[in-house]
Amino acid sequence: MNAGKWRLAELLHGFCVHQRSPQIVESRANFAPKFMAGGTAVRLLTAEIMPSHARNKLSDRRVQSEKKPGLYGDGGGLYLRIRPSGRSWIFIGTLKPKGEFRIKKTGPGKRIEMGLGSALDVPLAKARQRAAEIREVLLEGIDPRVERLKSKEEAKPADDKPVVTFGAFAMELLDSIEDGFRNPKHRAQWRSTLKTHAEKLLEVPIADVSTEQIVAVLEPIWLSKRETASRLRGRIERVLDAARVKGLREGENPARGRGHLELLLPKSTKTVRHHPALPFKQVAEFITGLRQRSGMAARALEFTILTAARSGETRGMTWAEVNLEERLWTVPASRMKAGATHEVPLSDRAMAILNDLKNDKVQPHHFVFPAQRSGSLSDMTLSAVIKRMQQTGITVHGFRSTFRDWAGEETSFEREVIEMALAHTVASSVERAYRRGRALEKRRDLMTEWAKYCFQEKDTEKG
């Protein structure tokens, strides 16, 4: 009897069961265990259709020859699935906390079902190997589907990863550094020069930008627009330097000028272009006509000429920068081209202009020369005054050259004092000594003489 029971168990071992499918595929056709009495057969059948720990139940021959649709278990969670459309390998198991892995869902836990490939491409031995790897992962309490996704992502070639282009990185860099620009115009110029003249680089992966590509961008404007080309080269160099720091590039910067691009780009005779300036002998006549004009722009232009300042320094001037008692205008480093604080002694006429504008309503943060609709005056506002005076061929900035020519030819002031009055950087050791001392009183005398020259007719206005 015992031998008979074991024989029945052996026969029933050939059944294949999918837990969620009522279909039972019988390995021996028309087999029916009717010869056993009582509940023995039922108990044995129940025991055998539960998930078995037996392994390697399938053979290569059966995998190829089986035709009937269904699930055929090999053991250890590996199944051959046969459908009308084809046959494939799947793994079915349960994800439990570490150390509690079970084949198929027989209790609490998360059911796992994974495809292991077509049986046409994956032989039985390979399918068993993959099933074994999945069982090892499940024993660690890890979802093998998540691990598979991670492996695929890590195995992706570099070409499949997001490519950072020169244009995208340049705009991102500009967004992060533009708050440090003193002049809002520089922000716009950065974007416009890159988009206009470096358009060929915008879609190039930043890791691949080469010397040849940069030369192709610069060469068309290198001689005709030398200043623009020079600035463009510097901006490209800065973008590529930042990319290297962030690990997006390796090696030397192909936009480097000295010892690199300068050897590849055409040389030109360097000419210094000065802003068109009014001859200093005509400045008194110009000032006379200017004083006859009313309006904030006319006063701002006059103040700019008297202080030899840059247009932007005057237009951005606030009352917090002015010390009327000490007759001194202190321009903060953040608004200076050289990035250093600049002190401007104020002559009698410059003080008179400020006193006329000062009233009880002004606050330290208010502009000294406000625009009609609040805010500061625009650059074109001062230029428009010159145009309305029928003056052609001169610019606001050119009056700094007028001052420099007058001081150099008509006065005996030292060159260092004159350069410091213009807020030019002094380079020699002697000039640096003057910088430390600021030579403020000497510059005050210089600006007083300049105001007298501009008003050669006696001016009775006093500050």
Side-chain angles (χ1 to χ4, degrees):
M1 186 65 177
N2 290 339
K5 290 182 180 180
W6 285 114
R7 176 57 180 162
L8 177 60
E10 182 182 352
L11 292 172
L12 289 174
H13 194 71
F15 282 94
C16 298
V17 181
H18 189 308
Q19 184 178 348
R20 294 196 174 184
S21 172
Q23 180 184 19
I24 299 178
V25 179
E26 188 176 325
S27 63
R28 299 193 180 190
N30 302 319
F31 173 77
K34 297 178 181 179
F35 56 86
M36 299 198 67
T40 305
V42 176
R43 287 195 300 273
L44 285 173
L45 178 61
T46 302
E48 288 299 314
I49 64 174
M50 293 298 285
S52 172
H53 292 286
R55 306 283 170 85
N56 303 338
K57 294 185 288 185
L58 296 176
S59 65
D60 288 322
R61 182 177 179 181
R62 189 178 182 195
V63 170
Q64 299 300 324
S65 63
E66 187 62 60
K67 304 296 183 184
K68 192 172 182 179
L71 282 178
Y72 297 83
D74 182 62
L78 177 63
Y79 290 84
L80 174 67
R81 171 182 279 164
I82 298 180
R83 292 174 172 172
S85 58
R87 59 191 65 210
S88 60
W89 297 107
I90 66 169
F91 180 91
I92 301 174
T94 303
L95 176 63
K96 288 176 169 285
K98 185 175 180 179
E100 297 184 15
F101 159 67
R102 294 183 185 179
I103 303 298
K104 296 190 69 178
K105 187 174 180 180
T106 58
K110 182 177 180 181
R111 185 175 187 274
I112 296 295
E113 183 173 323
M114 294 178 64
L116 303 181
S118 169
L120 296 176
D121 301 323
V122 181
L124 177 57
K126 185 68 174 178
R128 287 171 176 167
Q129 179 184 342
R130 291 181 178 179
E133 293 171 354
I134 293 174
R135 289 193 296 270
E136 289 180 7
V137 174
L138 284 171
L139 284 171
E140 296 296 323
I142 300 172
D143 191 333
R145 295 170 297 182
V146 176
E147 290 300 299
R148 175 186 284 182
L149 290 175
K150 288 182 180 179
S151 298
K152 286 183 177 180
E153 189 65 28
E154 292 173 358
K156 279 185 178 180
D159 292 344
D160 288 348
K161 295 179 181 178
V163 175
V164 180
T165 63
F166 175 86
F169 184 81
M171 294 304 109
E172 180 182 335
L173 174 66
L174 184 56
D175 289 340
S176 66
I177 66 173
E178 64 181 357
D179 287 342
F181 293 156
R182 293 188 295 271
N183 190 339
K185 188 184 293 184
H186 291 168
R187 304 181 186 183
Q189 286 177 345
W190 252 83
R191 296 183 189 274
S192 64
T193 53
L194 289 175
K195 290 181 178 179
T196 302
H197 300 294
E199 183 179 6
K200 295 178 181 178
L201 295 179
L202 298 182
E203 297 303 320
V204 176
I206 197 159
D208 299 335
V209 175
S210 65
T211 298
E212 292 74 15
Q213 292 170 324
I214 296 173
V215 170
V217 164
L218 296 176
E219 204 165 29
I221 60 173
W222 191 251
L223 295 179
S224 60
K225 299 179 180 179
R226 185 61 182 269
E227 185 65 26
T228 299
S230 178
R231 290 180 180 178
L232 176 61
R233 185 209 62 76
R235 287 162 184 166
I236 294 174
E237 183 179 22
R238 182 168 182 179
V239 171
L240 296 181
D241 273 341
R244 182 174 58 81
V245 171
K246 290 199 171 186
L248 298 177
R249 282 187 62 86
E250 295 180 353
E252 293 292 327
N253 193 324
R256 180 168 50 86
R258 181 170 296 180
H260 187 58
L261 289 182
E262 68 177 4
L263 304 176
L264 302 174
L265 292 166
K267 293 183 179 181
S268 64
T269 303
K270 187 176 180 180
T271 57
V272 179
R273 296 179 57 189
H274 297 286
H275 289 269
L278 184 73
F280 65 82
K281 292 184 178 180
Q282 299 176 23
V283 70
E285 182 182 354
F286 179 87
I287 289 291
T288 299
L290 180 60
R291 291 192 62 188
Q292 294 174 1
R293 294 183 170 273
S294 60
M296 192 63 69
R299 298 290 72 78
L301 177 59
E302 183 182 355
F303 186 86
T304 301
I305 296 171
L306 290 171
T307 55
R310 297 180 178 88
S311 170
E313 294 162 8
T314 299
R315 290 182 289 108
M317 180 182 181
T318 64
W319 286 106
E321 300 172 4
V322 180
N323 188 325
L324 294 176
E325 292 184 2
E326 295 187 10
R327 299 164 63 96
L328 194 66
W329 170 30
T330 303
V331 189
S334 60
R335 295 205 307 109
M336 292 299 299
K337 182 178 180 180
T341 301
H342 179 50
E343 293 181 325
V344 184
L346 299 173
S347 62
D348 287 349
R349 176 55 192 164
M351 286 292 297
I353 293 173
L354 296 181
N355 285 327
D356 287 343
L357 296 174
K358 180 80 172 179
N359 58 59
D360 295 336
K361 296 181 179 181
V362 298
Q363 298 295 321
H365 65 278
H366 288 173
F367 289 110
V368 174
F369 300 99
Q372 189 173 1
R373 296 181 180 180
S374 75
S376 62
L377 296 171
S378 69
D379 188 21
M380 296 304 297
T381 305
L382 272 61
S383 299
V385 175
I386 297 175
K387 187 175 181 180
R388 287 195 294 269
M389 292 177 66
Q390 307 299 316
Q391 293 286 344
T392 59
I394 63 174
T395 65
V396 177
H397 196 85
F399 279 100
R400 285 168 57 83
S401 296
T402 301
F403 168 79
R404 181 66 182 84
D405 293 343
W406 165 81
E409 296 183 25
E410 298 290 320
T411 76
S412 59
F413 286 96
E414 298 162 297
R415 185 182 69 85
E416 294 83 0
V417 174
I418 298 171
E419 293 300 316
M420 290 172 64
L422 291 166
H424 286 166
T425 302
V426 290
S428 71
S429 58
V430 174
E431 290 169 327
R432 284 195 295 271
Y434 270 99
R435 170 68 72 182
R436 287 192 294 270
R438 294 182 301 174
L440 187 59
E441 291 309 313
K442 291 185 177 181
R443 286 193 288 121
R444 188 180 296 279
D445 293 341
L446 173 62
M447 303 316 292
T448 298
E449 291 300 315
W450 170 238
K452 288 181 179 179
Y453 186 82
C454 291
F455 299 93
Q456 292 184 35
E457 295 182 1
K458 188 175 180 180
D459 189 350
T460 57
E461 282 191 66
K462 298 292 178 184

